[in-house]
């Protein structure tokens, strides 16, 4: 991506949403769903927001998880993380 000296251009370059961020977030969600399917019973999957702007990433992912993902995801605001526990099925 060509960097320009405009302030608005710099904001878009570090954006998690907008023109470039949407595709990246969609790829991440698709990979996440594959990991949840492959997760062995009794294990936990944890995601932590550790990017350049963790507060912004946490807000975006929190909205997504509450609206579209499985309600078994636990949102931990104090750690800026998301946890998924796959329970052991008893037959």
């Amino acid at each position: 991506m060509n960097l320009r000296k405009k302030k608005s251009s710099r904001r878009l370059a570090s954006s998690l949403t907008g023109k470039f961020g949407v595709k990246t977030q969609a790829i991440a969600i698709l990979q996440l769903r594959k990991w949840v399917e492959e997760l062995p019973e009794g294990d936990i999957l944890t995601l932590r927001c550790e990017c350049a702007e963790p507060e912004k990433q946490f807000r975006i992912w929190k909205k997504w998880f509450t609206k579209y993902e499985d309600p078994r995801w636990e949102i931990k605001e104090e750690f800026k993380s998301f946890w998924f526990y796959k329970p052991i099925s008893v037959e």
Side-chain angles (χ1 to χ4, degrees):
M1 184 170 126
N2 295 334
L3 295 178
R4 297 182 179 192
K5 294 183 180 182
K6 291 178 129 185
K7 188 176 184 180
S8 61
S9 177
R10 284 193 305 268
R11 279 193 195 145
L12 279 175
S14 67
S15 178
L16 296 173
T17 59
K19 191 174 182 180
F20 299 104
V22 175
K23 185 174 181 181
T24 307
Q25 298 294 324
I27 292 169
I29 290 292
L30 290 175
Q31 184 62 44
L32 179 68
R33 289 179 181 164
K34 289 179 187 175
W35 289 342
V36 168
E37 289 175 10
E38 296 173 3
L39 189 67
E41 294 178 351
D43 276 357
I44 295 176
L45 180 67
T46 304
L47 299 174
R48 290 178 43 184
C49 298
E50 296 181 337
C51 69
E53 298 179 18
E55 293 83 18
K56 186 174 185 179
Q57 183 185 24
F58 182 73
R59 280 196 324 265
I60 292 167
W61 282 74
K62 183 179 175 184
K63 286 180 186 178
W64 180 269
F65 276 87
T66 54
K67 191 171 183 180
Y68 298 110
E69 293 302 316
D70 192 342
R72 293 184 290 175
W73 279 94
E74 293 183 32
I75 301 171
K76 304 292 184 183
E77 293 191 26
E78 58 188 310
F79 301 115
K80 290 186 178 47
S81 64
F82 304 91
W83 295 354
F84 182 84
Y85 173 70
K86 192 168 190 178
I88 299 171
S89 61
V90 179
E91 293 182 16

